[in-house]
Amino acid sequence: MLVVMDAHVTPEQVRAVCDKIEPLGCRAHQIAAAQRTAISIAGNCGAAEIATLKEVPGVKDVVPVSKAYELVSREVKPDDTTIYFPNSKATIGGRELAIVAGPCAVENRDQAFAIAKCVQRAGAQFFRGGAYKPRSSPYSFQGLGLEGLKILAEIRERFGLRIITEAIDHESLELVEEYADVIQIGARNMHNYSLLKRAGRSPKPVLLKRGMAATLEEFLMAAEYIMSEGNYNVILCERGVRTFSDHTRFTLDLNIVPAVQRLSHLPIIVDPSHGTGRRHMVIALSRAAVAAGADGLIVEVHTDPDNALSDGIQSLFPEQFEELMSDVRQIGAVVGRNLRAGPGSAIWK
Ligand code: PEP
Ligand code: MN
């Protein structure tokens, strides 16, 4: 349900609407857009009570929203969402492309620092690297945990890159929100509603990866779980889905980029590394993702992929990542996007 307020609504009038809704056990989310102020009401309040809202001063209209993902939808917020970071020019969403790069996993301090140096040089704004790894086999490298998070925090200090890293459960989320700039919820946890709700109570933005068999609607409803708890800084990420195709690890579903953009105001980035699982395809699919209108990329890069502890076969060499950045910059210009170099880029300013 959406309560659309008059153009010159006062904060007191907005408060009066919230005060009417909240005792009914529903949550009011204020949505300020360029053209209007609206209040989205999440939960099941009685229809009769809602009808009386039309009489409250400052209320222009009360509109039913038919979708199960109200806060995520463009019906409720027509303007695109841009996510900003304190003390940084980095953004996700809007005109600037957001490029996130780094190893699959933080393996040790030297490895992570060497890769961060290359990623920074090539112009990325964000560094990725798992400290908690949700591996298919329990015997595979599971990540360095807290030690990995501390290395990532050092990388932010040293290179000025914003840090994105995955939380796999409530315990790791507590730590990830303390050390990182963005909390990643991985494909395997997209349906973990308790974790999504916990991420929704965090002050940090959340990068939500699409489950490997999730429909568009399920993906958007997972984002709604996060937003319904009050965290509106959600970034969606397409990372490939399971299909009959066995020439790639997953099938990168770029169709979802314009499909999401039609329905939702949230930014969507693409992961061509997991989406292909093949190093030689990553640059081509990165170009395609930007051409399709993605708001950015998350890419695995490694200085010694043959000896990587996870996902070496899909990790780019640093020179390939530089090539990718140059290509993406040119393609971005064609589709009205800019690639602002991160701090310390040696390639361009
Ligand atoms: C990752 O980004 O390292 C990862 C595990 O991705 P996904 O959750 O998409 O498999
Ligand atoms: Mn990986």
Side-chain angles (χ1 to χ4, degrees):
M1 193 74 69
L2 191 66
V3 182
V4 182
M5 306 300 290
D6 285 334
H8 303 293
V9 67
T10 65
E12 293 71 35
Q13 288 172 328
V14 171
R15 192 63 252 155
V17 172
C18 298
D19 287 347
K20 210 165 152 50
I21 293 163
E22 281 159 1
L24 304 173
C26 290
R27 187 160 177 170
H29 300 267
Q30 191 181 332
I31 295 147
Q35 306 301 329
R36 64 164 198 221
T37 295
I39 301 166
S40 165
I41 307 174
N44 296 318
C45 325
E49 283 87 349
I50 295 289
T52 65
L53 282 173
K54 283 194 180 165
E55 310 309 322
V56 176
V59 172
K60 188 171 169 213
D61 204 1
V62 180
V63 200
V65 176
S66 49
K67 301 205 170 64
Y69 45 84
E70 183 157 334
L71 295 166
V72 163
S73 80
R74 271 203 196 279
E75 269 177 68
V76 162
K77 180 174 181 285
D79 310 334
D80 287 343
T81 289
T82 302
I83 293 164
Y84 298 90
F85 295 88
N87 309 318
S88 165
K89 288 197 173 131
T91 51
I92 304 182
R95 197 175 131 71
E96 298 292 328
L97 288 171
I99 309 294
V100 186
C104 181
V106 176
E107 298 168 14
N108 56 61
R109 195 172 178 279
D110 288 350
Q111 170 253 15
F113 267 63
I115 300 169
K117 194 170 171 204
C118 301
V119 159
Q120 184 208 38
R121 198 187 119 79
Q125 300 263 18
F126 297 89
F127 187 75
R128 63 147 293 147
Y132 298 90
K133 293 306 304 174
R135 303 304 297 279
S136 301
S137 163
Y139 308 117
S140 302
F141 176 60
Q142 303 284 310
L144 296 181
L146 180 58
E147 190 192 335
L149 293 180
K150 289 184 176 165
I151 294 170
L152 289 168
E154 271 190 75
I155 286 176
R156 176 179 40 237
E157 292 311 309
R158 168 75 181 75
F159 298 98
L161 300 164
R162 300 298 104 188
I163 304 296
I164 300 190
T165 193
E166 182 167 353
I168 54 171
D169 49 26
H170 285 244
E171 203 183 337
S172 54
L173 200 146
E174 295 279 326
L175 293 165
V176 166
E177 78 180 347
E178 190 182 330
Y179 285 89
D181 299 291
V182 178
I183 302 163
Q184 178 174 325
I185 302 286
R188 291 156 189 81
N189 268 317
M190 192 212 82
H191 295 283
N192 183 341
Y193 302 121
S194 142
L195 191 63
L196 296 175
K197 284 200 208 172
R198 173 61 186 83
R201 293 192 290 274
S202 176
K204 295 284 172 75
V206 178
L207 175 73
L208 176 65
K209 298 190 99 179
R210 180 184 179 187
M212 56 187 81
T215 63
L216 170 59
E217 194 173 46
E218 288 164 346
F219 190 21
L220 295 179
M221 287 193 289
E224 186 81 12
Y225 262 99
I226 300 169
M227 295 182 78
S228 69
E229 294 291 324
N231 187 347
Y232 308 125
N233 289 325
V234 178
I235 306 128
L236 303 172
C237 177
E238 161 61 27
R239 47 79 72 210
V241 289
R242 271 271 155 83
T243 68
F244 56 82
S245 289
D246 57 3
H247 61 286
T248 49
R249 182 175 175 196
F250 295 97
T251 297
L252 192 64
D253 177 19
L254 292 181
N255 301 349
I256 205 164
V257 172
V260 159
Q261 288 169 339
R262 169 173 280 201
L263 296 173
S264 176
H265 54 85
L266 293 175
I268 176 159
I269 69 168
V270 169
D271 176 347
S273 305
H274 295 86
T276 60
R278 305 275 185 276
R279 183 182 306 136
H280 77 97
M281 294 182 175
V282 170
I283 294 181
L285 272 297
S286 299
R287 294 188 199 120
V290 171
D295 294 297
L297 300 168
I298 178 164
V299 183
E300 289 183 342
V301 177
H302 204 289
T303 43
D304 183 12
D306 292 343
N307 291 304
L309 295 182
S310 76
D311 287 348
I313 58 163
Q314 66 195 33
S315 299
L316 295 181
F317 287 100
E319 318 76 82
Q320 290 177 302
F321 181 61
E322 287 183 11
E323 185 187 334
L324 179 154
M325 289 294 273
S326 165
D327 288 0
V328 152
R329 193 174 184 224
Q330 295 173 66
I331 292 168
V334 176
V335 293
R337 310 304 284 260
N338 188 46
L339 184 50
R340 186 199 289 134
S345 159
I347 310 290
W348 73 80
K349 290 292 160 212

